[in-house]
């Protein structure tokens, strides 16, 4: 299958540069997973499409202010560091991107916040560098003081309210990018769904910047996926397995929740545990857990376009995207939403 099979024309002015004033007032395109039929709504209408007994699965990851600016020790050269992911084996060590790279060779020490945080470049990686931090206190608290949100490369405007690049249910620090499908939910909307009898479960997948990595290979099977950390508790796995056994619908919020669920699936059941996943979902994939998906509109020729196409049908998804362009929906992280509705379970 060709990468070009997942391309579509998107006018640049439809790339959302800021969130709507109220989270649940973004637009919602509902697509029937089986027929491809489309209807247009506002996001809070999702209440009408989720039923008692459905399981709505959220990703509880929290975006960290992963972009920090420092000075090369012993000089005045400015260096930007973007945290990608923690090293599993070395304490206080991260894989990072640095800019400009020529100022951050192995052995360089970078000073942040007048010495509040110091980082030693200890190795080169395929993506950038590996850096070990030295500090007194709690790293996350220091990062809150010094760091800024690492907005996606296609967003060129400053975000006035940093909390708008965070879901209302974010709990566990670790992501370099937001699980953006969840940005549309409010506490009130989640309460309304609970009152209706929708079961809400949480999984964890820390989103890496590799989510924005373009697919450069002509054949999608040749693409090498980035790795992301996930965790699913015993209790969550048990409840979702019970719901599956009872024929209830599993509705995933976002491609990140989807990746976590399908990564932990074995023989049609969800297995509790944690680890790193490089799962690559594209048409032909045999789904084990997820029935329906709430998601934003994704970049052309991206792995996320391939994932949503796998859940339904590539032609139906491209038709829906072209309709969204025609109707002037807002695209990508701060854009509008889409619900791939699985219909009623038989």
């Amino acid at each position: 299958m060709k990468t070009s099979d997942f391309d579509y024309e998107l006018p640049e002015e439809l790339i959302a540069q800021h969130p709507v004033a109220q989270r649940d007032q973004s637009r919602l395109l509902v697509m029937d997973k089986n027929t491809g039929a489309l209807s247009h709504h506002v996001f809070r209408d999702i209440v009408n499409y989720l039923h008692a007994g459905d399981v709505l699965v959220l990703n509880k990851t929290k975006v960290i202010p992963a972009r920090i600016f420092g000075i090369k020790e012993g000089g005045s050269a400015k260096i930007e560091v973007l945290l990608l992911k923690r090293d599993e084996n070395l304490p206080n060590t991260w894989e990072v991107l640095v800019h400009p790279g020529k100022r951050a060779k192995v052995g360089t020490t970078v000073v942040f916040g007048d010495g509040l945080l110091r980082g030693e470049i200890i190795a080169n990686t395929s993506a950038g560098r590996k850096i070990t931090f030295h500090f007194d206190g709690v790293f996350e608290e220091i990062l809150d003081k010094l760091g800024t949100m690492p907005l996606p490369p296609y967003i060129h405007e400053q975000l006035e309210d940093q909390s708008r690049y965070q879901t209302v249910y974010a709990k566990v620090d670790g992501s370099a990018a937001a699980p953006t499908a969840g940005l549309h939910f409010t506490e009130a909307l989640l309460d309304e769904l609970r009152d209706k009898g929708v079961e809400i479960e949480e999984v964890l997948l820390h989103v890496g910047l590799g989510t924005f990595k373009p697919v450069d290979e002509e054949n999608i099977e040749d693409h090498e996926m980035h790795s992301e950390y996930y965790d699913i508790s015993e209790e969550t796995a048990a409840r979702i397995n019970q719901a599956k056994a009872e024929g209830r619908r599993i509705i995933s919020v976002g491609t990140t929740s989807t990746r976590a669920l399908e990564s932990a699936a074995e023989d049609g059941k969800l297995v509790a545990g944690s680890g790193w996943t490089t799962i690559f979902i594209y048409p032909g994939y045999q789904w084990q857990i997820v029935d329906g998906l709430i998601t934003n509109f994704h970049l052309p020729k991206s792995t996320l376009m391939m994932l949503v196409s796998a859940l339904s049908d590539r032609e139906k998804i491209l038709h829906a995207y072209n309709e969204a362009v025609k109707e002037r929906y807002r695209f990508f992280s701060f854009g509008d939403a889409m619900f791939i509705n699985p219909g009623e379970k038989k």
Side-chain angles (χ1 to χ4, degrees):
M1 191 166 283
K2 304 294 186 185
T3 299
S4 57
D5 292 338
F6 300 89
D7 197 10
Y8 67 93
E9 292 292 328
L10 177 67
E12 189 172 350
E13 66 268 18
L14 295 186
I15 300 174
Q17 294 298 308
H18 52 80
V20 294
Q22 292 177 271
R23 289 178 185 263
D24 61 1
Q25 292 303 304
S26 54
R27 296 170 74 185
L28 174 68
L29 179 64
V30 176
M31 188 192 91
D32 185 288
K33 175 180 170 180
N34 302 305
T35 69
L38 302 172
S39 57
H40 304 280
H41 309 268
V42 295
F43 188 79
R44 73 169 331 280
D45 292 340
I46 195 69
V47 171
N48 301 325
Y49 288 91
L50 299 178
H51 314 312
D54 284 348
V55 180
L56 188 69
V57 184
L58 313 176
N59 181 5
K60 62 184 176 182
T61 190
K62 188 174 183 180
V63 186
I64 60 174
R67 178 172 277 117
I68 51 178
F69 298 87
I71 302 292
K72 185 175 181 179
E73 187 175 57
S76 59
K78 295 181 179 179
I79 296 176
E80 176 186 349
V81 173
L82 182 60
L83 308 180
L84 298 181
K85 66 179 183 180
R86 291 182 191 268
D87 190 289
E88 299 175 68
N89 304 309
L90 297 173
N92 302 320
T93 300
W94 288 72
E95 291 185 25
V96 299
L97 295 177
V98 292
H99 180 78
K102 62 183 180 182
R103 295 178 181 171
K105 296 178 181 178
V106 174
T108 299
T109 295
V110 186
V111 180
F112 306 91
D114 296 325
L116 192 61
L117 182 69
R118 298 164 65 85
E120 181 186 357
I121 308 292
I122 63 168
N124 296 315
T125 67
S126 57
R129 304 286 189 273
K130 192 171 285 191
I131 186 169
T132 297
F133 290 107
H134 305 279
F135 54 90
D136 292 322
V138 179
F139 180 73
E140 287 75 15
E141 292 178 359
I142 294 171
L143 203 58
D144 281 339
K145 294 178 181 178
L146 302 180
T148 59
M149 287 291 187
L151 295 178
Y154 47 75
I155 294 178
H156 308 299
E157 297 182 11
Q158 291 294 318
L159 181 62
E160 293 183 6
D161 180 0
Q162 299 286 314
S163 70
R164 293 305 305 274
Y165 194 57
Q166 204 80 266
T167 63
V168 297
Y169 47 80
K171 294 182 178 70
V172 184
D173 285 327
S175 278
T180 53
L183 296 178
H184 306 284
F185 285 93
T186 64
E187 293 285 8
L189 182 54
L190 290 170
D191 285 342
E192 189 173 348
L193 289 169
R194 290 187 186 96
D195 290 344
K196 189 175 182 178
V198 174
E199 182 180 326
I200 296 178
E201 297 291 345
E202 293 180 339
V203 296
L204 177 70
L205 184 133
H206 287 323
V207 189
L209 290 180
T211 191
F212 303 115
K213 181 183 178 183
V215 179
D216 295 325
E217 303 290 346
E218 181 181 1
N219 297 310
I220 66 173
E221 294 89 350
D222 296 331
H223 177 68
E224 184 177 336
M225 281 293 286
H226 59 286
S227 65
E228 293 173 317
Y229 177 82
Y230 74 93
D231 183 73
I232 296 173
S233 72
E234 293 278 359
E235 296 79 8
T236 295
R239 288 191 293 265
I240 290 177
N241 285 331
Q242 181 179 348
K244 292 289 288 184
E246 294 171 356
R248 294 190 274 133
R249 306 190 306 174
I250 310 300
I251 308 297
S252 183
V253 177
T255 57
T256 64
S257 300
T258 302
R259 281 169 55 77
L261 291 169
E262 294 295 321
S263 294
E266 289 184 15
D267 299 323
K269 291 189 176 181
L270 192 60
V271 179
S274 61
W276 293 86
T277 179
T278 57
I279 192 171
F280 185 12
I281 298 175
Y282 53 85
Y285 176 78
Q286 298 300 305
W287 292 88
Q288 299 197 63
I289 305 298
V290 174
D291 299 306
L293 174 64
I294 297 169
T295 184
N296 280 19
F297 293 96
H298 303 295
L299 278 72
K301 299 191 289 188
S302 65
T303 59
L304 305 182
M305 271 292 288
M306 297 166 191
L307 184 153
V308 297
S309 296
L311 188 60
S312 174
D313 176 89
R314 183 182 68 88
E315 289 80 9
K316 291 184 177 70
I317 292 294
L318 287 173
H319 172 70
Y321 271 55
N322 288 328
E323 183 72 11
V325 169
K326 177 184 172 184
E327 294 295 326
R328 311 294 289 177
Y329 276 66
R330 303 165 78 246
F331 279 65
F332 305 164
S333 293
F334 285 142
D336 296 315
M338 179 179 182
F339 177 38
I340 302 176
N341 186 359
E344 301 303 317
K345 294 295 284 286
K346 295 179 181 178

